Amino acid sequence: QIYLVQSASEMRKPGASVTVSCKVFGYLFTNYGVTWVRQAPGRGLEWMGWISAKNDDSKYAQKFQGRVSLTTDTSTRTAYMELRSLTSDDTAVYFCAAGAMAYCGPSCLAPSFDNWGQGTMVAVSS
Amino acid sequence: QSVLTQTPSVSGTPGQRVSISCSGTASNIGDHTVHWFQQLPGRAPQLLVYVDDQRPAGVSDRFSGSKSGTSASLAISGLQSADEADYYCATWDAKLDGWVFGGGTKLTVL
């Protein structure tokens, strides 16, 4: 059985950075990719980016370019999402999702959303 | 303002069939596969349908997805109280070069 366990909730002040981890159990980590999605309170889902655990290929949402970094550590089967220069608008629950790379259309190959972590709340407040 | 348009809410009675729509454009739904997610209150999203109309193992066949042109739909038959949740569609957008989600549809079982 595949499951993902994320790190605990975090509180940060504006301007700070936060790193959320996502440990993967139950499958060969390097065969898959990890996608990060966030959800502000009472709002919908927002895609942030994905990273391949096989070769570290990655793609970021234009909105987060330059402010987010996705990494993986294959020795610990863990994916990381670092978000910098935080503002109150970054207050949200951050989810990781893992799955095999899959065709999604012309010139589109991205991790599927098969399995999700439980979410990590990040609160940004002065 | 979400790139994909979903009706904010839909309701039905137990046993009824409801449909949730997701409208996009040629650069997203028109040319890419659509996924649907169910998010129960206070929980992480769960993949319900992938590649337009495929169900992951363990997902009830009461849930079915379809796509036509630049729109997609999720149908839920034999409605149950346990189906009360938020439902999101998602697809790749070639212009934005990334995944986009619908704004979500809240399903209420009366």
Side-chain angles (χ1 to χ4, degrees):
Chain A
Q1 183 179 353
I2 299 167
Y3 61 99
L4 285 62
V5 178
Q6 297 184 222
S7 48
S9 300
E10 303 271 12
M11 292 187 65
R12 293 287 186 274
K13 293 189 181 302
S17 299
V18 69
T19 297
V20 177
S21 68
C22 172
K23 189 172 177 66
V24 179
F25 297 86
Y27 69 80
L28 185 58
F29 185 58
T30 52
N31 281 357
Y32 285 72
V34 178
T35 298
W36 290 87
V37 173
R38 76 177 186 179
Q39 185 172 36
R43 305 294 295 274
L45 303 174
E46 181 176 32
W47 177 72
M48 299 181 70
W50 62 257
I51 184 168
S52 165
K54 180 175 183 178
N55 56 19
D56 279 344
D57 277 351
S58 61
K59 189 173 284 288
Y60 298 98
Q62 293 170 2
K63 174 178 179 177
F64 299 102
Q65 290 271 6
R67 205 163 67 92
V68 68
S69 293
L70 303 182
T71 56
T72 62
D73 182 340
T74 55
S75 66
T76 59
R77 306 163 65 87
T78 304
Y80 298 92
M81 185 283 300
E82 179 193 27
L83 188 60
R84 300 177 290 275
S85 302
L86 293 168
T87 72
S88 58
D89 289 340
D90 294 315
T91 294
V93 177
Y94 290 75
F95 295 102
C96 61
M101 298 299 285
Y103 171 81
C104 44
S107 303
C108 176
L109 188 68
S112 55
F113 294 89
D114 296 344
N115 306 281
W116 291 69
Q118 82 277 18
T120 296
M121 179 67 201
V122 175
V124 183
S125 174
S126 55
Chain B
Q1 192 88 10
S2 301
V3 174
L4 304 179
T5 301
Q6 294 183 237
T7 304
S9 64
V10 66
S11 62
T13 55
Q16 194 176 13
R17 181 182 186 275
V18 297
S19 182
I20 297 172
S21 65
C22 177
S23 177
T25 65
S27 69
N28 44 63
I29 291 179
D31 223 11
H32 300 85
T33 59
V34 176
H35 298 344
W36 288 92
F37 301 89
Q38 177 192 61
Q39 187 176 31
L40 297 169
R43 304 294 296 276
Q46 176 188 354
L47 183 63
L48 211 53
V49 169
Y50 67 100
V51 188
D52 301 340
D53 58 8
Q54 303 298 303
R55 279 186 304 276
V59 172
S60 170
D61 59 4
R62 296 187 300 106
F63 297 93
S64 61
S66 63
K67 189 178 87 170
S68 178
T70 58
S71 293
S73 291
L74 174 72
I76 309 172
S77 61
L79 207 57
Q80 301 175 0
S81 57
D83 298 332
E84 271 206 352
D86 293 324
Y87 293 84
Y88 294 91
C89 59
T91 189
W92 190 265
D93 189 294
K95 287 184 179 179
L96 297 175
D97 197 25
W99 286 100
V100 291
F101 286 90
T105 297
K106 183 175 183 61
L107 170 63
T108 301
V109 181
L110 303 170

